[in-house]
Amino acid sequence: MRLVFLGPPGAGKGTQARRLSGILGLPHISTGDILRAAIAQDTETGRKVRDYVESGRLVPDDVMEEIVRARLERPDAAQGFILDGFPRTIRQAEALDTILAERGQTLDRAVLFQVDRQVLIERLSGRMVCPVCGTNYHRVFHPPREDEVCDGDGAKLIQRKDDLPETVASRLEGYYHQIQPVVEYYRNRGLLYELDAEGDADTVTRRLLQGLGISVEPV
Ligand code: AP5
C-alpha cells in the first residue's frame, strides 16, 4: 500500500503513521523527521534547511524532491510506504507521481486529517518529543510514565522549536493557505480520503483502518 498523509500541524499524522507502520509493516517516512535529523547531524542539507524548519516555513520544493526521491529508492519502500508530510505543494505532488511512474507504481490513497484549529493548538502546545527515538508525547493526552523522560530509552524529552506559540500560529496560517490545491489535486484523481482525526488516538486509529478497508485490530 502506498499512502500519503496530509493535514495541519498537530493533526496526529505522525502518531497515526507510526501505528499504521507497525500494523502493516510499511516504513513511516516523515519528511519532518528526515529534516530534523539532518539538522541535528549538521549535514549540508541540514544547514540548508535549518532556518525554514525552525521558523515553520516550507523548505524549497527542489530540496524536498531530492530528499524524497532518495528515500523512496531505499529497498524498504519497494513494497509500499506511509509518506507523512509530503507533498505539501502541487509541484511536490507532481514530483511524487513522476517518481512512482518511473517504477510503474501509483499512489493508493491520500488521507486528509481533519481537526479543529483549537484542538491543534492544544495538541501542539503540549507536545514533547524524544530527541533519540522520535516518539511523540503530550503533557495531558499522552504523558510519559516519568515526567519529561522517554518511556523507551530514558532520554530527556524536548519541545520542538517550531512548537513555540508564535511559530505555531504562522505554521497554521501557512498550512491552510498552501494545502488546498494539493487536496483538490487528489480529490480530482479520486484518491482523497477525508479522515475525522478528532477524538483519542485509539478512536482515530480505528476510523483510519476502517476507512482504508484494513481489517485488523488496532494496537
Ligand atoms: P512536520 O514534521 O511534517 O510537521 P507538521 O506537518 O507541521 O506536523 P506535526 O509533526 O507538527 O504534527 P503531526 O500531524 O505529525 O502530529 P503529531 O502526531 O505529532 O514538518 C516540520 C517542518 O519541516 C515544516 O514546518 C517545514 O518547515 C518542513 N517540511 C516538512 N515536510 C516538508 C515538505 N514536504 N515541504 C516543505 N517543507 C517541509 O501529534 C501532535 C501532538 O498531539 C502530539 O503531542 C501527540 O501526542 C498528540 N496527539 C496526536 N494524536 C492525538 C489524539 N488523537 N488525541 C490527543 N492527542 C493527540
Side-chain angles (χ1 to χ4, degrees):
M1 202 173 229
R2 286 176 286 274
L3 302 171
V4 298
F5 281 6
L6 314 171
K13 305 179 298 294
T15 299
Q16 296 300 327
R18 268 184 212 97
R19 287 170 169 231
L20 200 59
S21 163
I23 292 168
L24 298 178
L26 295 175
H28 165 210
I29 301 176
S30 157
T31 46
D33 286 352
I34 294 172
L35 293 168
R36 283 184 289 276
I39 293 169
Q41 290 156 17
D42 199 29
T43 63
E44 194 188 329
T45 302
R47 287 190 290 278
K48 215 186 288 182
V49 303
R50 179 188 296 273
D51 283 350
Y52 291 100
V53 174
E54 292 184 352
S55 63
R57 287 173 297 134
L58 287 190
V59 170
D61 287 334
D62 55 336
V63 178
M64 293 312 304
E65 286 171 35
E66 203 179 308
I67 289 172
V68 169
R69 177 178 283 280
R71 180 61 186 86
L72 292 182
E73 271 166 12
R74 284 172 42 189
D76 66 339
Q79 301 309 317
F81 53 77
I82 304 163
L83 196 43
D84 162 14
F86 184 98
R88 278 165 139 104
T89 65
I90 290 287
R91 181 169 153 191
Q92 292 181 11
E94 289 170 348
L96 178 60
D97 281 348
T98 303
I99 294 168
L100 294 177
E102 284 166 7
R103 293 147 211 229
Q105 298 174 339
T106 52
L107 197 66
D108 292 301
R109 298 298 279 278
V111 181
L112 176 63
F113 283 60
Q114 293 185 309
V115 178
D116 179 76
R117 188 189 168 99
Q118 189 50 40
V119 176
L120 297 173
I121 292 171
E122 283 168 20
R123 288 186 186 176
L124 291 171
S125 60
R127 174 164 58 187
M128 294 177 296
V129 184
C130 175
V132 177
C133 68
T135 302
N136 281 325
Y137 295 87
H138 191 281
R139 288 180 206 283
V140 177
F141 305 132
H142 176 36
R145 284 193 295 271
E146 190 184 333
D147 198 27
E148 300 198 3
V149 173
C150 179
D151 293 345
D153 52 38
K156 181 158 172 45
L157 303 178
I158 55 167
Q159 185 180 33
R160 275 171 44 177
K161 287 199 175 144
D162 59 350
D163 280 348
L164 298 172
E166 58 278 16
T167 313
V168 165
S170 71
R171 280 167 72 200
L172 286 172
E173 290 316 317
Y175 167 79
Y176 290 113
H177 178 69
Q178 286 143 353
I179 202 66
Q180 205 50 40
V182 180
V183 169
E184 295 310 321
Y185 182 90
Y186 288 121
R187 196 194 307 279
N188 292 338
R189 284 160 178 74
L191 294 177
L192 192 70
Y193 163 44
E194 297 181 65
L195 171 71
D196 171 3
E198 293 201 18
D200 63 51
D202 289 345
T203 303
V204 177
T205 303
R206 274 193 293 275
R207 270 188 218 129
L208 176 61
L209 289 170
Q210 197 177 16
L212 293 174
I214 299 167
S215 57
V216 290
E217 281 302 306
V219 284

